[in-house]
């Protein structure tokens, strides 16, 4: 006699990428689409070097998704012009700060993009 578990186990053996769990139980936190009627909770996110090229594009996307973004930048490589269009947005905050020094913030996620360019390597003699 076959039961539901043995059938799902045999399906899993034929296709290991296919889930053996009932629909929805293994994908609750996989970042998929949100069902209609439910809103995604906006996160509080810190982006270091957020005024840089990569950071500013990341910020645009995070704010479009409904997240609150705190940019931490010392403007060593970044440019304030890259984030100026967010200045009136209540979900955007800019802190001029060097990440070498401690900074205490309460956030959900951190995107650490701050890294000064590598100094030139002297030629080998």
């Amino acid at each position: 006699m076959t039961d539901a578990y043995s059938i799902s186990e045999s399906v899993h053996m034929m296709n290991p990428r296919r889930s053996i769990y009932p629909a929805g139980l293994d994908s609750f936190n996989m970042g998929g689409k949100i069902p209609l009627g439910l809103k995604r909770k906006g996160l509080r996110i810190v982006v270091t070097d957020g005024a840089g090229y990569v950071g500013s594009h990341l910020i645009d996307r995070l704010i479009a998704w409904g997240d609150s973004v705190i940019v931490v930048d010392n403007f060593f490589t970044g440019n304030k012009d890259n984030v100026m269009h967010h200045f009136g947005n209540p979900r955007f905050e800019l802190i001029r700060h060097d990440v070498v020094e401690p900074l205490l913030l309460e956030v959900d996620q951190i995107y650490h993009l701050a890294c000064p360019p590598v100094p030139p390597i002297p030629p080998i003699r």
Side-chain angles (χ1 to χ4, degrees):
M1 181 169 170
T2 61
D3 59 353
Y5 179 76
S6 62
I7 293 172
S8 66
E9 188 65 32
S10 62
V11 168
H12 181 65
M13 296 304 270
M14 290 185 294
N15 186 357
R17 290 187 173 182
R18 187 176 177 122
S19 173
I20 61 171
Y21 300 107
L25 290 183
D26 63 338
S27 61
F28 66 92
N29 196 15
M30 300 301 281
K33 293 190 177 187
I34 298 170
L36 292 174
L38 296 177
K39 292 184 80 174
R40 178 181 167 274
K41 179 187 174 264
L43 300 175
R44 190 168 156 90
I45 300 174
V46 167
V47 179
T48 63
D49 193 33
Y53 178 79
V54 174
S56 64
H57 285 85
L58 174 62
I59 290 165
D60 292 341
R61 187 61 62 104
L62 292 172
I63 288 179
W65 285 340
D67 297 320
S68 296
V69 178
I70 302 170
V71 173
V72 177
D73 204 316
N74 64 355
F75 300 108
F76 183 67
T77 58
N79 190 342
K80 196 182 287 189
D81 293 336
N82 292 339
V83 293
M84 277 182 66
H85 58 282
H86 293 296
F87 278 0
N89 191 334
R91 291 185 284 120
F92 175 79
E93 186 177 343
L94 176 65
I95 300 173
R96 185 179 188 127
H97 182 80
D98 193 344
V99 295
V100 175
E101 301 298 325
L103 179 65
L104 185 61
L105 296 171
E106 197 169 313
V107 296
D108 298 311
Q109 292 179 354
I110 299 171
Y111 291 91
H112 183 54
L113 305 176
C115 179
V118 176
I121 300 172
I124 300 174
R125 298 181 197 250

